[in-house]
Amino acid sequence: MSAVTAVSKNGGGGPKDPVARGLGAFSFALGVPQITSPGRVNRMIGVRDDARNRMWMRVVGAREIVAGVGIFSERLPKEWVWARVAGDTMDLALLAAALRGKSPHPTRTLAATGAVIGAFAADVYDGVRLTRDAADEPETGAEPVQIAATITVRRDREECYAYWRDFERFPSFMAHLEEVHATHGERSHWKARGPLGMTVAWDAQVTEDVPGERISWSSVEGSKVDNSGSVRFVAAPADQGTEIHLELRYAPPAGAFGATFAKILGEEPAIQCKDDLRRFKQILETGEIARSDGSPEGQLGLRQVKQRPAQPVAAEELDTVDDAGAS
């Protein structure tokens, strides 16, 4: 069995302001069709439905989804509401350009412009109110995200511990890692992929090592990614193998915005952790990893926007996976 939970202390359970919650829901209601059916939305607001306008419509939709997730990630999301104000300004400029370019249905475009003006007014009103409320509260920094995950592997504790203790094997089951190299003593150098192809690197050191039982580690002082964690190996009941109990703590790069943006892309550590443990289980139990052609690296939100029937992974990709598992 497996279970993954993630607790983020950034924001405290979503916005307390009902207007902000409504604006967040409105962002989702706009963003989803703008991304999934941009042509239909273009025709509905009376603008020319061509490749360029569909591209812009998807950009606007992605912006709305980002704003919606951001609003629901914080208790006083004043920055995200002001981001909506900036987005409204962009929308008004695009609609004005459509009218100047002789919109095929100017009445629809004018109606859409009126709707955006109404949203702009609501955003400005709530932005001012949230800014005033935030001024009455002490400023707090973004707190670290904490993740706990558990999975049962049908192998004994010593085997599970031995595979995990060899950090250079991590890229074989942690899809976001590019490489891990032991440096000296208990230290190692890590390089990982972030959202939108970004790369981050840091150094870590083992802080506790009890063979067959647990391993703890943390990033060294001055690392670009502040993180720490521990893994415990516990005998499962009825000789069913080993329970892997993983705990992680990390400070997201770029703070709350970085954490929110990663969630939108399906690349935040709670999702990665769940997929990594599944792959660890597969390697230990079968010697290989079952991968989908649709998402060979695990769950990514961007892959869900446009879906298609699954296809077998190409032979050369399977060879790469097998080589990684055997290393």
Side-chain angles (χ1 to χ4, degrees):
M1 68 174 186
S2 63
V4 176
T5 59
V7 179
S8 171
K9 297 181 180 179
N10 295 330
K16 65 178 183 178
D17 176 38
V19 177
R21 289 198 297 271
L23 292 174
F26 182 62
S27 285
F28 285 120
L30 279 177
V32 171
Q34 286 173 327
I35 291 175
T36 59
S37 303
R40 182 176 298 177
V41 178
N42 281 335
R43 293 189 294 273
M44 184 173 65
I45 65 175
V47 302
R48 187 178 296 106
D49 182 26
D50 54 25
R52 180 175 178 275
N53 284 341
R54 288 193 180 198
M55 181 272 291
W56 275 111
M57 186 59 69
R58 288 194 174 97
V59 170
V60 171
R63 186 203 71 209
E64 291 288 350
I65 297 296
V66 169
V69 174
I71 287 172
F72 280 105
S73 70
E74 298 187 16
R75 196 168 62 87
L76 286 172
K78 63 182 188 301
E79 293 88 356
W80 293 104
V81 172
W82 284 115
R84 276 192 49 82
V85 173
D88 294 337
T89 304
M90 170 186 170
D91 293 346
L92 289 172
L94 291 173
L95 288 168
L99 287 171
R100 288 196 302 271
K102 296 182 179 181
S103 166
H105 300 283
T107 302
R108 296 181 187 178
T109 307
L110 285 171
T113 302
V116 173
I117 291 174
F120 177 84
D123 290 334
V124 170
Y125 166 78
D126 203 48
V128 170
R129 190 168 63 164
L130 289 173
T131 301
R132 182 191 61 207
D133 291 345
D136 297 332
E137 294 193 0
E139 186 69 22
T140 57
E143 296 186 35
V145 174
Q146 298 180 17
I147 301 167
T150 302
I151 198 166
T152 300
V153 179
R154 292 183 178 273
R155 291 291 183 268
D156 60 41
R157 292 194 303 172
E158 287 70 22
E159 184 177 354
C160 293
Y161 165 85
Y163 198 99
W164 195 286
R165 186 62 179 83
D166 186 357
F167 298 142
E168 294 190 354
R169 285 180 166 180
F170 276 19
S172 68
F173 65 92
M174 294 187 173
H176 64 290
L177 283 178
E178 290 188 356
E179 58 185 35
V180 180
H181 292 305
T183 53
H184 59 276
E186 297 294 336
R187 290 199 174 189
S188 51
H189 182 74
W190 301 58
K191 184 178 179 182
R193 289 183 295 274
L196 298 180
M198 295 183 295
T199 300
V200 292
W202 68 94
D203 291 317
Q205 65 181 16
V206 175
T207 58
E208 183 181 24
D209 185 1
V210 181
E213 293 186 16
R214 64 182 176 275
I215 306 170
S216 299
W217 65 90
S218 67
S219 56
V220 302
E221 186 175 356
S223 293
K224 292 183 179 179
V225 179
D226 179 17
N227 68 92
S228 62
S230 66
V231 59
R232 293 185 297 113
F233 307 92
V234 180
D239 295 326
Q240 293 297 306
T242 303
E243 294 178 356
I244 311 296
H245 296 267
L246 179 63
E247 295 181 0
L248 296 175
R249 171 199 161 278
Y250 85 107
F257 175 81
T260 300
F261 191 62
K263 288 178 182 178
I264 295 168
L265 299 181
E267 295 179 337
E268 58 105 3
I271 297 175
Q272 292 175 347
C273 183
K274 177 178 65 176
D275 287 345
D276 292 344
L277 284 184
R278 277 205 199 104
R279 285 187 283 266
F280 179 78
K281 175 183 174 72
Q282 290 175 3
I283 285 181
L284 266 292
E285 292 183 353
T286 70
E288 61 182 7
I289 298 174
R291 298 197 182 227
S292 164
D293 170 68
S295 54
E297 67 288 272
Q299 297 179 6
L300 288 179
L302 290 180
R303 288 189 180 273
Q304 311 308 316
V305 173
K306 185 176 181 180
Q307 299 188 13
R308 59 175 174 76
Q311 300 292 332
V313 180
E316 58 270 21
E317 295 183 36
L318 286 174
D319 290 341
T320 302
V321 172
D322 291 341
D323 292 340
S327 61

